[in-house]
Amino acid sequence: MDRRGFLRRSMVGMLAGSAAAPLWLSGCAAPAARAALGTPAERITATSFAVLRSGGMARGAVVGFRDGHVLTCAHLLDGSDAVPALRRADGAEAEARLVARSPRMDLAVLRVPAGFLAPPAAAPALPASGDMVWAAGAPGLGHAVAQGHVEAPDAEMPGFGRGFTARMPVLMGYSGGPVVDEEGRLLGLTAALPEPGAAGAIAFLTGADLGGLAGGPRRVFVLAIRRAGAEAERLLASAG
Protein backbone atom coordinates (compact mmCIF):
# COMPACT_ATOMS: atom_id res chain seq x y z
CA MET A 1 0.00 0.00 0.00
CA ASP A 2 1.36 3.42 -0.92
CA ARG A 3 1.72 6.27 1.57
CA ARG A 4 -1.36 8.07 0.29
CA GLY A 5 -3.48 4.93 0.70
CA PHE A 6 -2.15 4.36 4.21
CA LEU A 7 -2.92 7.92 5.26
CA ARG A 8 -6.41 7.74 3.83
CA ARG A 9 -7.27 4.48 5.61
CA SER A 10 -5.75 5.47 8.95
CA MET A 11 -7.30 8.94 9.14
CA VAL A 12 -10.80 8.51 7.84
CA GLY A 13 -11.68 5.42 9.81
CA MET A 14 -12.73 7.40 12.84
CA LEU A 15 -15.10 9.58 10.79
CA ALA A 16 -16.75 7.27 8.28
CA GLY A 17 -19.44 4.93 9.57
CA SER A 18 -18.48 1.26 9.73
CA ALA A 19 -20.02 -0.95 7.06
CA ALA A 20 -20.39 -3.64 9.74
CA ALA A 21 -22.53 -1.48 12.02
CA PRO A 22 -26.03 -2.85 12.70
CA LEU A 23 -28.98 -1.15 11.05
CA TRP A 24 -30.26 0.28 14.31
CA LEU A 25 -27.10 2.39 14.54
CA SER A 26 -27.61 3.99 11.13
CA GLY A 27 -28.30 7.70 11.47
CA CYS A 28 -30.68 9.98 9.66
CA ALA A 29 -30.79 13.70 9.05
CA ALA A 30 -33.56 14.48 11.52
CA PRO A 31 -31.34 14.18 14.65
CA ALA A 32 -28.87 16.65 13.13
CA ALA A 33 -31.64 19.10 12.30
CA ARG A 34 -33.07 18.84 15.81
CA ALA A 35 -29.66 19.14 17.45
CA ALA A 36 -28.88 22.20 15.33
CA LEU A 37 -31.94 24.18 16.44
CA GLY A 38 -30.82 27.49 17.90
CA THR A 39 -27.27 27.11 16.53
CA PRO A 40 -25.65 28.58 13.40
CA ALA A 41 -26.02 25.12 11.79
CA GLU A 42 -29.82 25.22 11.98
CA ARG A 43 -30.53 26.40 8.45
CA ILE A 44 -27.99 24.27 6.65
CA THR A 45 -29.12 21.05 8.34
CA ALA A 46 -32.74 21.80 7.47
CA THR A 47 -32.31 22.69 3.81
CA SER A 48 -28.86 21.71 2.51
CA PHE A 49 -27.86 18.56 4.41
CA ALA A 50 -28.65 14.89 3.93
CA VAL A 51 -27.34 11.62 5.27
CA LEU A 52 -25.60 9.36 2.76
CA ARG A 53 -26.71 5.76 3.16
CA SER A 54 -25.25 2.75 1.39
CA GLY A 55 -26.02 -0.89 2.03
CA GLY A 56 -28.78 0.18 4.42
CA MET A 57 -26.48 2.09 6.73
CA ALA A 58 -25.45 5.69 7.23
CA ARG A 59 -21.87 6.30 6.14
CA GLY A 60 -21.66 10.09 6.34
CA ALA A 61 -23.33 13.14 4.89
CA VAL A 62 -23.64 15.33 1.81
CA VAL A 63 -24.07 19.06 1.30
CA GLY A 64 -26.02 20.82 -1.45
CA PHE A 65 -23.81 22.31 -4.14
CA ARG A 66 -25.93 23.53 -7.00
CA ASP A 67 -29.39 22.44 -8.09
CA GLY A 68 -29.27 18.77 -8.92
CA HIS A 69 -25.83 18.15 -7.39
CA VAL A 70 -24.33 17.59 -3.94
CA LEU A 71 -20.80 17.29 -2.58
CA THR A 72 -19.40 14.70 -0.21
CA CYS A 73 -16.10 13.04 0.67
CA ALA A 74 -14.94 10.51 -1.90
CA HIS A 75 -13.76 8.08 0.78
CA LEU A 76 -17.39 7.42 1.76
CA LEU A 77 -17.87 5.67 -1.58
CA ASP A 78 -14.71 3.55 -1.49
CA GLY A 79 -15.24 -0.19 -1.85
CA SER A 80 -18.99 0.03 -2.39
CA ASP A 81 -20.91 -0.65 -5.58
CA ALA A 82 -24.24 0.21 -3.98
CA VAL A 83 -26.16 3.22 -5.27
CA PRO A 84 -26.03 5.82 -2.47
CA ALA A 85 -29.35 6.87 -1.00
CA LEU A 86 -29.78 10.27 0.61
CA ARG A 87 -32.18 11.17 3.42
CA ARG A 88 -33.14 14.74 4.27
CA ALA A 89 -34.18 16.13 7.63
CA ASP A 90 -37.86 15.85 6.67
CA GLY A 91 -37.46 12.14 5.90
CA ALA A 92 -37.57 12.48 2.11
CA GLU A 93 -35.18 10.16 0.29
CA ALA A 94 -33.56 10.14 -3.14
CA GLU A 95 -31.01 8.03 -4.95
CA ALA A 96 -27.73 9.68 -5.86
CA ARG A 97 -25.52 8.95 -8.85
CA LEU A 98 -21.78 9.47 -8.80
CA VAL A 99 -20.78 12.06 -11.40
CA ALA A 100 -17.06 12.34 -10.65
CA ARG A 101 -14.36 11.89 -8.05
CA SER A 102 -11.49 14.29 -7.71
CA PRO A 103 -8.01 12.87 -8.24
CA ARG A 104 -6.59 15.76 -6.20
CA MET A 105 -8.72 15.87 -3.05
CA ASP A 106 -11.16 13.83 -0.99
CA LEU A 107 -14.17 15.01 -2.95
CA ALA A 108 -17.00 13.45 -4.93
CA VAL A 109 -19.82 15.09 -6.88
CA LEU A 110 -23.17 13.30 -6.90
CA ARG A 111 -26.23 13.96 -9.04
CA VAL A 112 -29.58 14.13 -7.25
CA PRO A 113 -33.12 15.13 -8.29
CA ALA A 114 -33.50 18.85 -8.89
CA GLY A 115 -34.65 20.69 -5.79
CA PHE A 116 -33.68 17.92 -3.40
CA LEU A 117 -31.16 20.08 -1.50
CA ALA A 118 -30.63 23.82 -1.63
CA PRO A 119 -27.10 25.16 -2.22
CA PRO A 120 -26.04 26.83 1.06
CA ALA A 121 -24.44 30.24 1.35
CA ALA A 122 -20.66 29.98 1.43
CA ALA A 123 -18.49 32.00 3.79
CA PRO A 124 -16.87 34.94 1.96
CA ALA A 125 -13.40 34.34 3.38
CA LEU A 126 -11.21 31.81 5.12
CA PRO A 127 -11.69 31.51 8.89
CA ALA A 128 -9.22 32.92 11.38
CA SER A 129 -7.53 31.05 14.19
CA GLY A 130 -9.86 30.86 17.18
CA ASP A 131 -13.07 31.40 15.20
CA MET A 132 -16.00 29.32 16.43
CA VAL A 133 -17.32 26.67 14.05
CA TRP A 134 -20.13 24.11 14.04
CA ALA A 135 -20.21 20.75 12.24
CA ALA A 136 -23.16 18.48 11.47
CA GLY A 137 -23.00 14.75 10.82
CA ALA A 138 -24.78 11.43 11.00
CA PRO A 139 -23.24 9.47 13.87
CA GLY A 140 -24.86 6.21 14.91
CA LEU A 141 -24.47 7.23 18.54
CA GLY A 142 -23.70 10.58 20.14
CA HIS A 143 -24.30 14.19 19.20
CA ALA A 144 -25.14 15.01 15.59
CA VAL A 145 -23.85 18.60 15.90
CA ALA A 146 -20.44 19.54 17.27
CA GLN A 147 -19.12 22.95 18.25
CA GLY A 148 -15.45 23.87 18.21
CA HIS A 149 -12.88 26.41 17.11
CA VAL A 150 -10.47 26.87 14.24
CA GLU A 151 -6.93 25.88 15.06
CA ALA A 152 -4.89 26.28 11.85
CA PRO A 153 -6.78 28.36 9.26
CA ASP A 154 -4.65 27.19 6.33
CA ALA A 155 -3.52 23.59 6.15
CA GLU A 156 -3.04 20.90 3.53
CA MET A 157 -3.34 17.14 3.94
CA PRO A 158 -1.93 14.85 1.22
CA GLY A 159 -4.73 13.08 -0.61
CA PHE A 160 -7.42 15.15 1.10
CA GLY A 161 -6.82 18.67 -0.18
CA ARG A 162 -6.39 22.07 1.36
CA GLY A 163 -8.48 23.68 4.05
CA PHE A 164 -8.13 24.20 7.78
CA THR A 165 -8.06 22.30 11.03
CA ALA A 166 -10.39 22.72 13.97
CA ARG A 167 -10.82 21.24 17.42
CA MET A 168 -14.25 19.62 17.64
CA PRO A 169 -15.77 16.56 19.35
CA VAL A 170 -16.82 14.94 16.08
CA LEU A 171 -17.69 11.25 15.83
CA MET A 172 -18.01 8.55 13.20
CA GLY A 173 -20.46 9.66 10.54
CA TYR A 174 -19.43 13.32 10.25
CA SER A 175 -17.48 12.81 7.01
CA GLY A 176 -18.84 14.84 4.12
CA GLY A 177 -20.96 16.97 6.41
CA PRO A 178 -20.90 20.76 6.63
CA VAL A 179 -18.78 22.97 8.86
CA VAL A 180 -20.24 26.47 9.26
CA ASP A 181 -19.23 29.78 10.80
CA GLU A 182 -21.11 31.89 13.34
CA GLU A 183 -23.39 33.21 10.59
CA GLY A 184 -24.28 29.72 9.41
CA ARG A 185 -22.25 30.09 6.22
CA LEU A 186 -20.53 27.03 4.82
CA LEU A 187 -16.78 26.89 5.43
CA GLY A 188 -16.07 23.36 4.28
CA LEU A 189 -16.66 19.63 4.60
CA THR A 190 -15.45 17.47 7.48
CA ALA A 191 -12.88 15.23 5.82
CA ALA A 192 -10.48 13.52 8.24
CA LEU A 193 -9.54 13.04 11.85
CA PRO A 194 -5.77 12.49 12.05
CA GLU A 195 -4.81 9.84 14.53
CA PRO A 196 -2.48 10.74 17.42
CA GLY A 197 1.12 10.72 16.32
CA ALA A 198 0.34 11.53 12.68
CA ALA A 199 2.21 14.84 12.85
CA GLY A 200 3.74 14.41 9.42
CA ALA A 201 0.37 13.93 7.76
CA ILE A 202 -0.65 17.58 7.72
CA ALA A 203 1.45 20.39 6.31
CA PHE A 204 0.44 23.46 8.27
CA LEU A 205 0.90 26.60 6.24
CA THR A 206 0.64 29.02 9.14
CA GLY A 207 3.62 27.94 11.23
CA ALA A 208 1.55 25.90 13.71
CA ASP A 209 3.27 23.49 16.05
CA LEU A 210 3.28 20.09 14.34
CA GLY A 211 4.15 18.37 17.58
CA GLY A 212 0.72 19.25 18.91
CA LEU A 213 -0.83 16.63 16.65
CA ALA A 214 0.09 13.98 19.20
CA GLY A 215 -2.11 15.60 21.81
CA GLY A 216 -5.41 13.88 20.97
CA PRO A 217 -7.76 12.55 18.29
CA ARG A 218 -10.04 15.57 18.02
CA ARG A 219 -8.09 17.61 15.56
CA VAL A 220 -10.32 17.68 12.50
CA PHE A 221 -9.26 18.44 8.95
CA VAL A 222 -11.90 20.41 7.02
CA LEU A 223 -11.77 20.61 3.23
CA ALA A 224 -12.31 24.28 2.32
CA ILE A 225 -15.57 24.79 0.43
CA ARG A 226 -14.13 27.36 -1.97
CA ARG A 227 -11.48 24.93 -3.12
CA ALA A 228 -13.94 22.04 -3.16
CA GLY A 229 -16.45 24.11 -5.11
CA ALA A 230 -13.90 25.14 -7.72
CA GLU A 231 -12.81 21.53 -8.10
CA ALA A 232 -16.43 20.39 -8.40
CA GLU A 233 -17.07 22.91 -11.18
CA ARG A 234 -14.01 21.63 -13.01
CA LEU A 235 -15.16 18.02 -12.64
CA LEU A 236 -18.66 18.84 -13.87
CA ALA A 237 -17.27 20.68 -16.88
CA SER A 238 -15.06 17.69 -17.71
CA ALA A 239 -17.97 15.28 -17.30
CA GLY A 240 -20.00 17.27 -19.79
Side-chain angles (χ1 to χ4, degrees), residues 114-134:
F116 184 69
L117 289 182
L126 294 174
S129 179
D131 283 358
M132 299 301 297
V133 291
W134 286 257

Side-chain angles (χ1 to χ4, degrees), residues 208-231:
D209 179 14
L210 287 176
L213 267 173
R218 295 191 176 189
R219 180 165 289 163
V220 183
F221 177 76
V222 180
L223 177 61
I225 189 57
R226 292 196 171 276
R227 294 183 180 276
E231 178 71 352

Side-chain angles (χ1 to χ4, degrees), residues 14-231:
M14 298 184 71
L15 287 175
S18 170
L23 289 176
W24 64 272
L25 285 179
S26 62
C28 66
R34 288 194 295 268
L37 291 175
T39 76
E42 179 175 352
R43 180 174 178 81
I44 201 168
T45 55
T47 63
S48 307
F49 167 89
V51 174
L52 185 151
R53 300 166 62 87
S54 181
M57 288 157 284
R59 295 180 178 272
V62 305
V63 177
F65 175 55
R66 67 184 197 190
D67 196 28
H69 296 86
V70 299
L71 303 182
T72 191
C73 289
H75 75 256
L76 294 178
L77 308 175
D78 286 350
S80 174
D81 295 325
V83 176
L86 307 182
R87 179 180 291 178
R88 294 189 316 212
D90 62 0
E93 295 190 350
E95 288 189 346
R97 183 175 67 83
L98 176 65
V99 176
R101 297 175 190 247
S102 170
R104 302 189 290 195
M105 59 183 68
D106 186 21
L107 179 73
V109 183
L110 305 178
R111 188 184 305 279
V112 298
F116 184 69
L117 289 182
L126 294 174
S129 179
D131 283 358
M132 299 301 297
V133 291
W134 286 257
L141 295 172
H143 298 293
V145 172
Q147 179 181 346
H149 66 274
V150 174
E151 187 175 48
D154 196 2
E156 185 167 3
M157 178 178 284
F160 289 85
R162 189 162 170 179
F164 63 92
T165 64
R167 287 280 184 176
M168 290 187 288
V170 299
L171 303 164
M172 291 191 300
Y174 273 76
S175 284
V179 177
V180 303
D181 64 13
E182 291 183 287
E183 302 298 323
R185 298 170 299 193
L186 183 62
L187 289 166
L189 310 180
T190 300
L193 184 61
E195 292 181 345
I202 298 180
F204 287 101
L205 305 177
T206 54
D209 179 14
L210 287 176
L213 267 173
R218 295 191 176 189
R219 180 165 289 163
V220 183
F221 177 76
V222 180
L223 177 61
I225 189 57
R226 292 196 171 276
R227 294 183 180 276
E231 178 71 352

